[in-house]
Amino acid sequence: MTWSWNYVWDSFPLIFEGMWITLGLTIGCFAFAMAFGFVWTFLRRIPWKPVQKVVGFVLEFIRSTPPLVQLFFLFYAWPMVPYVGVTLDPITCAVLGLGGHFSTYISEIYRSGIESVDKGQWEASTALNLSTRKKWTKIILPQAIPPTIPMLGNYLIIMFKEVPLTATIGVTGMLHAAETFGSQTFAYVEPLTLVAVFFLAMSYPSAVLIRKLEAKYNRRFDKKNPTGTNKMDKGVALNG
């Protein structure tokens, strides 16, 4: 089958509409991942070994299983679980599945950011007899979060490229729109190529911006660290 520009123009409105769903879902999943990442971080800081071991096991289990399997479990299997199973719509499954999966990696980013705060800051907040809330909101987090911004940006881009997985459970994003158009016209090359162009047009500029932001923060924090070492080098790579 030869390339047809008519199929490109015909599929464009569907894919453009799906783009907004993909972008909105990316933001929703990432917001959930960032919020729940804090939960994992603070759970791991509970000074009780049994809790730390259970949380560590859950985190490793989530990281070690593919996000597609987790999406399928939430959408197809969870409603069949006795007593606690409920039917979830595709968007909810996507936010819980992808957001929960990425929250385990983001929690490690938060952890490395917290560990990068100078020990003297912790001691000073204790010496000033600050409450736990004030210690974290006024002293620790304002210093721990800025160095993590470039890595969080990288994970946002990765999540954007993982969101098409939700087409398998019925989320009508760009990939689902392309598949629907292809099933109706038997033309898959043009709509899928258009989807790839959309992803490239949004992902590449974002990646360039993140690299510039990362270089800026590296220069900023290297000036504060004359030894040249940086605890943020302990970032976690996304497996698979």
Side-chain angles (χ1 to χ4, degrees), residues 182-219:
S183 65
Q184 294 172 349
T185 61
F186 299 101
Y188 288 94
V189 175
E190 293 86 354
L192 289 175
T193 301
L194 191 56
V195 168
V197 170
F198 268 100
F199 272 102
L200 178 63
M202 289 181 283
S203 296
Y204 183 74
S206 301
V208 172
L209 178 63
I210 292 299
R211 283 198 293 269
K212 290 183 178 180
L213 189 63
E214 187 172 9
K216 177 182 176 181
Y217 274 97
N218 284 341
R219 289 194 300 269

Side-chain angles (χ1 to χ4, degrees), residues 83-101:
Y83 305 112
V84 295
V86 292
T87 300
L88 302 173
D89 62 87
I91 295 294
T92 302
C93 285
V95 172
L96 292 177
L98 288 181
H101 185 85

Side-chain angles (χ1 to χ4, degrees), residues 92-131:
T92 302
C93 285
V95 172
L96 292 177
L98 288 181
H101 185 85
F102 276 80
S103 71
T104 62
Y105 296 97
I106 289 177
S107 71
E108 291 297 324
I109 296 176
Y110 290 154
R111 181 183 62 80
S112 57
I114 291 170
E115 290 180 356
S116 71
V117 176
D118 190 82
K119 184 179 179 182
Q121 299 295 315
W122 295 87
E123 295 172 348
S125 61
T126 302
L128 292 171
N129 199 27
L130 296 178
S131 65

Side-chain angles (χ1 to χ4, degrees), residues 31 41 61 64 75 90 112 115 169 171 183-184 201 231 234 236:
T41 300
F61 178 81
S64 301
F75 191 71
S112 57
E115 290 180 356
I169 59 173
V171 175
S183 65
Q184 294 172 349
K231 291 183 180 180
K234 297 186 288 185
V236 180

Side-chain angles (χ1 to χ4, degrees), residues 40-47 52 111 114-115 122 136:
W40 293 125
T41 300
F42 288 113
L43 284 176
R44 295 195 71 174
R45 294 184 67 84
I46 293 176
Q52 293 178 351
R111 181 183 62 80
I114 291 170
E115 290 180 356
W122 295 87
W136 281 96

Side-chain angles (χ1 to χ4, degrees), residues 5 24 43 71 103 107 115 135 172 180 182:
W5 285 105
L43 284 176
L71 288 172
S103 71
S107 71
E115 290 180 356
K135 178 174 70 174
T172 55
T180 301

